[in-house]
Amino acid sequence: MKWRGKYYLQRWPSARAMRVLRDKVRAATVISKAERPLSAVVAELNPVLRGWEAYFRNGNSGRKFNAVDGYVHERLAILASRKHGLRGRNWAICFTHGWITRLGVYRLTGTVRRATEHASR
Protein backbone atom coordinates (compact mmCIF):
# COMPACT_ATOMS: atom_id res chain seq x y z
CA MET A 1 0.00 0.00 0.00
CA LYS A 2 1.33 3.41 -0.91
CA TRP A 3 0.90 6.26 1.55
CA ARG A 4 2.68 9.62 1.34
CA GLY A 5 5.13 8.39 -1.25
CA LYS A 6 6.16 5.24 0.62
CA TYR A 7 5.04 1.64 0.39
CA TYR A 8 3.94 0.00 3.64
CA LEU A 9 3.46 -3.62 4.55
CA GLN A 10 -0.11 -4.85 4.81
CA ARG A 11 0.36 -7.63 7.33
CA TRP A 12 -1.69 -8.72 10.32
CA PRO A 13 -2.27 -11.93 12.30
CA SER A 14 -4.36 -14.59 10.60
CA ALA A 15 -7.51 -16.06 12.11
CA ARG A 16 -5.54 -19.19 12.99
CA ALA A 17 -2.83 -17.18 14.79
CA MET A 18 -5.52 -15.35 16.76
CA ARG A 19 -7.19 -18.65 17.67
CA VAL A 20 -3.89 -20.17 18.85
CA LEU A 21 -3.17 -17.14 21.04
CA ARG A 22 -6.70 -17.19 22.50
CA ASP A 23 -6.23 -20.89 23.29
CA LYS A 24 -2.99 -20.12 25.15
CA VAL A 25 -4.63 -17.30 27.11
CA ARG A 26 -7.62 -19.52 27.91
CA ALA A 27 -5.32 -22.32 29.11
CA ALA A 28 -3.42 -19.92 31.38
CA THR A 29 -6.60 -18.43 32.85
CA VAL A 30 -8.75 -21.53 33.20
CA ILE A 31 -11.05 -21.42 36.21
CA SER A 32 -9.39 -24.46 37.79
CA LYS A 33 -6.29 -22.29 38.29
CA ALA A 34 -8.17 -19.84 40.52
CA GLU A 35 -6.12 -20.91 43.55
CA ARG A 36 -2.96 -19.53 41.96
CA PRO A 37 -2.06 -15.89 42.61
CA LEU A 38 -2.85 -13.55 39.73
CA SER A 39 0.79 -12.47 39.63
CA ALA A 40 1.76 -16.06 38.71
CA VAL A 41 -0.84 -16.13 35.92
CA VAL A 42 0.44 -12.79 34.60
CA ALA A 43 4.03 -14.06 34.76
CA GLU A 44 2.93 -17.02 32.62
CA LEU A 45 1.07 -14.83 30.11
CA ASN A 46 3.59 -12.01 29.62
CA PRO A 47 6.25 -14.00 27.68
CA VAL A 48 3.55 -15.34 25.35
CA LEU A 49 2.20 -11.84 24.70
CA ARG A 50 5.67 -10.35 24.22
CA GLY A 51 6.69 -13.02 21.73
CA TRP A 52 3.46 -12.70 19.79
CA GLU A 53 3.83 -8.91 19.70
CA ALA A 54 7.44 -9.12 18.51
CA TYR A 55 6.40 -11.32 15.59
CA PHE A 56 3.36 -9.31 14.48
CA ARG A 57 4.24 -5.71 15.40
CA ASN A 58 5.42 -4.74 11.90
CA GLY A 59 2.50 -3.97 9.64
CA ASN A 60 -0.99 -2.84 10.48
CA SER A 61 -2.18 -5.21 13.20
CA GLY A 62 -3.44 -2.58 15.64
CA ARG A 63 -7.06 -3.75 15.59
CA LYS A 64 -6.00 -7.32 16.27
CA PHE A 65 -3.79 -6.16 19.14
CA ASN A 66 -6.73 -4.28 20.66
CA ALA A 67 -8.84 -7.44 20.41
CA VAL A 68 -6.14 -9.48 22.16
CA ASP A 69 -5.81 -6.90 24.94
CA GLY A 70 -9.57 -6.95 25.49
CA TYR A 71 -9.63 -10.74 25.57
CA VAL A 72 -6.77 -10.95 28.08
CA HIS A 73 -8.47 -8.31 30.24
CA GLU A 74 -11.75 -10.21 30.18
CA ARG A 75 -10.18 -13.60 31.00
CA LEU A 76 -8.16 -12.19 33.91
CA ALA A 77 -11.17 -10.34 35.27
CA ILE A 78 -13.33 -13.47 35.12
CA LEU A 79 -10.58 -15.43 36.87
CA ALA A 80 -10.29 -12.75 39.58
CA SER A 81 -14.09 -12.71 39.97
CA ARG A 82 -14.11 -16.43 40.59
CA LYS A 83 -11.15 -16.13 42.91
CA HIS A 84 -12.93 -13.54 45.06
CA GLY A 85 -16.37 -15.16 44.91
CA LEU A 86 -18.02 -12.51 42.74
CA ARG A 87 -20.81 -13.49 40.39
CA GLY A 88 -22.03 -12.15 37.08
CA ARG A 89 -20.25 -10.56 34.17
CA ASN A 90 -19.77 -7.10 35.65
CA TRP A 91 -16.02 -7.45 35.27
CA ALA A 92 -15.66 -4.21 33.32
CA ILE A 93 -16.91 -2.21 36.31
CA CYS A 94 -14.88 -3.94 39.03
CA PHE A 95 -11.70 -4.64 37.08
CA THR A 96 -10.80 -1.49 35.18
CA HIS A 97 -7.87 -0.56 32.98
CA GLY A 98 -5.99 0.68 36.04
CA TRP A 99 -6.43 -2.71 37.70
CA ILE A 100 -4.95 -4.59 34.77
CA THR A 101 -2.10 -2.08 34.55
CA ARG A 102 -1.27 -2.56 38.23
CA LEU A 103 -1.15 -6.33 37.66
CA GLY A 104 1.68 -5.75 35.19
CA VAL A 105 0.06 -7.36 32.16
CA TYR A 106 1.99 -6.65 28.97
CA ARG A 107 -0.27 -4.57 26.71
CA LEU A 108 -0.08 -4.96 22.94
CA THR A 109 -1.96 -1.76 22.14
CA GLY A 110 0.33 0.96 20.87
CA THR A 111 3.26 -1.29 19.92
CA VAL A 112 2.59 -1.54 16.18
CA ARG A 113 5.21 -0.11 13.84
CA ARG A 114 4.44 0.91 10.31
CA ALA A 115 7.25 -0.87 8.53
CA THR A 116 8.16 0.24 5.06
CA GLU A 117 8.91 -2.30 2.41
CA HIS A 118 12.55 -3.26 2.18
CA ALA A 119 12.92 -2.02 -1.37
CA SER A 120 12.19 1.62 -2.15
CA ARG A 121 10.37 2.36 -5.38
Side-chain angles (χ1 to χ4, degrees):
M1 179 176 129
K2 190 171 183 176
W3 188 64
R4 292 189 182 181
K6 292 186 179 183
Y7 288 90
Y8 290 94
L9 293 175
Q10 293 295 306
R11 189 180 127 190
W12 51 86
S14 67
R16 181 175 181 263
M18 293 288 288
R19 186 174 55 248
V20 168
L21 181 63
R22 280 192 308 268
D23 290 344
K24 289 180 182 180
V25 171
R26 191 178 308 115
T29 59
V30 70
I31 301 304
S32 63
K33 293 186 178 183
E35 73 277 354
R36 293 176 61 202
L38 285 177
S39 59
V41 175
V42 169
E44 183 181 337
L45 276 178
N46 277 345
V48 173
L49 295 173
R50 278 195 177 101
W52 203 77
E53 178 263 335
Y55 188 77
F56 287 112
R57 75 176 158 217
N58 293 322
N60 59 343
S61 51
R63 287 184 182 157
K64 301 287 186 171
F65 281 9
N66 288 340
V68 169
D69 280 346
Y71 185 71
V72 169
H73 185 173
E74 179 181 5
R75 291 297 301 182
L76 284 172
I78 290 170
L79 182 68
S81 293
R82 284 290 174 101
K83 186 177 190 64
H84 299 297
L86 301 175
R87 299 191 66 162
R89 294 191 62 90
N90 58 351
W91 59 268
I93 297 167
C94 298
F95 305 105
T96 60
H97 177 72
W99 172 80
I100 199 133
T101 304
R102 282 190 305 275
L103 276 178
V105 177
Y106 186 74
R107 306 291 286 186
L108 301 178
T109 303
T111 59
V112 176
R113 286 192 255 165
R114 294 199 92 162
T116 57
E117 289 183 320
H118 54 74
S120 60
R121 294 183 186 217

